Amino acid sequence: MPPIELDARASEAARVIRATLPEPPQVALVLGSGLGALADRLADRVVIPYAQIPHFPRPTVEGHEGNLVAGSIGGSPLLVLQGRFHYYEGYDLDEVTFPIRVLQRLGVRTLILTAATGGIALSLQAGSIVCLEDHLNLIGANPLRGPNDRRLGARFPDMSEVYSRRLRTFAYEEASQLGLDLASGVYACLPGPSYETPAEIRMLRTLGADVVGMSTVPEAIVARHAGLDVLAFAVVTNAAAGVSGGLISHVEVVEAGQAATPRLGALIERFVQRLDAEARPLPQQQ
Ligand code: HPA
């Protein structure tokens, strides 16, 4: 039997989700390592375990739960992917980015990605939050490799503004209202799972990277291919290798992610409310 096409798999997954969520939110959030508790901020939650969604992979990493959670944050609807899939787990990039295809089929328009990262720029510390302005795809593969299905997107999608300037402006404005320091930076995506060596971090700094991680970029590429607007927040959970001389552990990464969750949550809440307000028509003039 030939494999089921990506479009058919995504449509089937979306159909099953719609049986529980007939009108899914148009804004979705992907949670990175240690940031899973952000889903707890949602009111009126409806939880769909990934295991109940056809064709969805299952996360294997500690700190990543596997649930699609719908609800509202500060009164605005939001769909949360609590748990993501990484290339280093052994999934291919089609699997890693499958949830993004399902979001496309659900009618999601805006995608917010979050990630735990190592800080390369000396101005960043553990706990810093960085709004991504661009990325370096250093995974050594591209999720769009292979025959292109035109129903899903263009063969050669433009990547000159992966992270929407308009959405970044909203994020900075809302951060400033909160009195929260929001840095801006370039994310280098490596395949992992080993953390980088100090020499690799020096190389990444030379290449123009401010933070380093093992996720986000495949999802951002597919989201742009799918026509979604993308915004991404990196939480710096540790100084990258060789930057402070300390060793890096996954436990430290998860704990630092958890410590930053309330601040990131407050920012995301305001951002989602802002998007909601911008999408509403202006009140009629009398
Ligand atoms: N390197 C790569 N990925 C990471 C790091 C890091 O230092 N910290 C959190 N995710």
Side-chain angles (χ1 to χ4, degrees):
M1 217 171 56
I4 307 172
E5 283 187 334
L6 176 57
D7 182 60
R9 280 184 280 131
S11 297
E12 192 183 343
R15 201 161 49 240
V16 168
I17 293 166
R18 273 184 194 282
T20 308
L21 285 178
E23 285 186 43
Q26 295 195 346
V27 181
L29 169 68
V30 176
L31 298 179
S33 296
L35 306 173
L38 275 175
D40 300 340
R41 287 182 88 97
L42 288 192
D44 309 318
R45 261 183 288 167
V46 177
V47 179
I48 306 177
Y50 289 170
Q52 290 176 11
I53 307 173
H55 312 296
F56 243 65
R58 315 263 163 86
T60 64
V61 190
E62 207 183 309
H64 285 268
E65 291 160 75
N67 293 308
L68 184 71
V69 187
S72 67
I73 187 166
S76 301
L78 180 66
L79 193 59
V80 176
L81 286 154
Q82 193 183 32
R84 61 143 60 100
F85 308 104
H86 303 84
Y87 193 51
Y88 62 74
E89 291 175 84
Y91 299 114
D92 62 36
L93 289 181
D94 253 10
E95 294 172 295
V96 167
T97 58
F98 182 70
I100 309 302
R101 292 299 179 196
V102 177
L103 297 181
Q104 177 184 25
R105 281 287 166 265
L106 287 173
V108 167
R109 308 285 296 276
T110 306
L111 179 66
I112 309 166
L113 298 166
T114 62
T117 55
I120 298 175
L122 299 176
S123 55
L124 300 172
Q125 290 95 41
S128 297
I129 300 178
V130 181
C131 184
L132 300 194
E133 66 184 59
D134 207 345
H135 70 227
L136 296 166
N137 177 15
L138 300 175
I139 285 193
N142 189 296
L144 305 180
R145 179 173 178 270
N148 186 57
D149 183 338
R150 285 210 53 87
R151 288 168 297 185
L152 299 176
R155 169 74 292 185
F156 300 109
D158 176 72
M159 292 286 146
S160 45
E161 194 185 310
V162 175
Y163 306 95
S164 156
R165 187 175 294 277
R166 173 175 170 266
L167 298 186
R168 280 185 277 143
T169 302
F170 291 169
Y172 290 119
E173 288 174 1
E174 297 308 319
S176 141
Q177 290 291 317
L178 280 171
L180 188 151
D181 238 347
L182 181 60
S184 162
V186 174
Y187 177 109
C189 180
L190 267 66
S194 51
Y195 291 115
E196 302 70 33
T197 64
E200 286 165 345
I201 293 301
R202 290 195 297 275
M203 171 189 76
L204 294 176
R205 182 178 292 128
T206 306
L207 294 179
D210 300 296
V211 289
V212 57
M214 308 170 190
S215 66
T216 304
V217 166
E219 293 145 321
I221 292 172
V222 167
R224 290 306 297 139
H225 182 248
L228 276 61
D229 290 332
V230 181
L231 181 74
F233 295 115
V235 171
V236 175
T237 53
N238 55 280
V243 172
S244 75
L247 304 182
I248 303 167
S249 78
H250 182 62
V251 171
E252 170 198 17
V253 165
V254 171
E255 285 175 0
Q258 286 165 347
T261 297
R263 279 183 305 128
L264 183 60
L267 176 58
I268 288 173
E269 178 164 330
R270 283 195 68 118
F271 175 79
V272 173
Q273 287 176 308
R274 170 75 178 268
L275 268 188
D276 200 16
E278 298 278 339
R280 275 201 215 113
L282 289 171
Q284 294 280 321
Q285 297 282 330
Q286 291 296 322

